Amino acid sequence: MADRSLRGMRLGGQSLQTEEGVVFSPRLTHTYHCPSCGKDTDMVFSAEAEAPDTWECKYCSMEATRMVGSEPVVVEHAESKTPRSHWDMLLERRTRAELEELLEERLTYLRARRGQKVNA
């Protein structure tokens, strides 16, 4: 009876699944060359996936460029768009004169609520 008893397994220690009958999807290996450290990084992607032109170098964490044959891919960095501030967006909707008029109206209202004398 002792030889037929169930014995416990360590969690995550071994998988009971096998790779029998599994058909793997086609894969392509792409090489990325890092100009900073001079080393190559090989990455495996699905044949259906579009490989990125740059990848983080696993040795120095700088940007590595994908190699096509013996030449690196030309990467075009788009100019970064300057973020608009709240003031810029406000000026798109109103003129400066309109803003000054609204400010004066609001200050008049607030002063009247506080009971202050209005300078007109």
Side-chain angles (χ1 to χ4, degrees):
M1 179 84 165
D3 61 335
R4 296 180 61 174
S5 65
L6 294 174
R7 298 193 319 177
M9 293 179 58
R10 294 183 303 235
L11 287 175
Q14 297 169 342
S15 174
L16 299 177
Q17 295 179 338
T18 64
E19 294 181 359
E20 282 183 34
V22 175
V23 178
F24 293 107
S25 63
R27 301 176 192 173
L28 293 174
T29 302
H30 295 278
T31 302
Y32 292 86
H33 179 73
C34 179
S36 179
C37 67
K39 296 186 179 181
D40 291 339
T41 301
D42 292 330
M43 297 301 300
V44 179
F45 293 97
S46 169
E48 299 169 2
E50 184 177 334
D53 291 336
T54 60
W55 196 265
E56 182 179 315
C57 176
K58 66 180 180 181
Y59 300 103
C60 68
S61 299
M62 297 301 288
E63 190 175 83
T65 308
R66 183 168 54 97
M67 301 295 287
V68 176
S70 62
E71 296 293 319
V73 171
V74 177
V75 179
E76 294 181 21
H77 294 286
E79 292 182 23
S80 60
K81 196 173 180 182
T82 307
R84 297 184 309 172
S85 67
H86 294 292
W87 179 248
D88 294 333
M89 289 185 265
L90 187 61
L91 288 177
E92 289 175 4
R93 295 190 308 267
R94 302 198 186 263
T95 65
R96 194 165 182 106
E98 289 175 328
L99 291 172
E100 288 176 4
E101 182 181 335
L102 288 172
L103 175 64
E104 193 57 42
E105 286 176 16
R106 192 67 185 162
L107 288 174
T108 303
Y109 171 74
L110 290 173
R111 288 179 183 137
R113 269 187 56 194
R114 290 186 185 164
Q116 294 179 356
K117 189 177 181 182
V118 178
N119 297 333

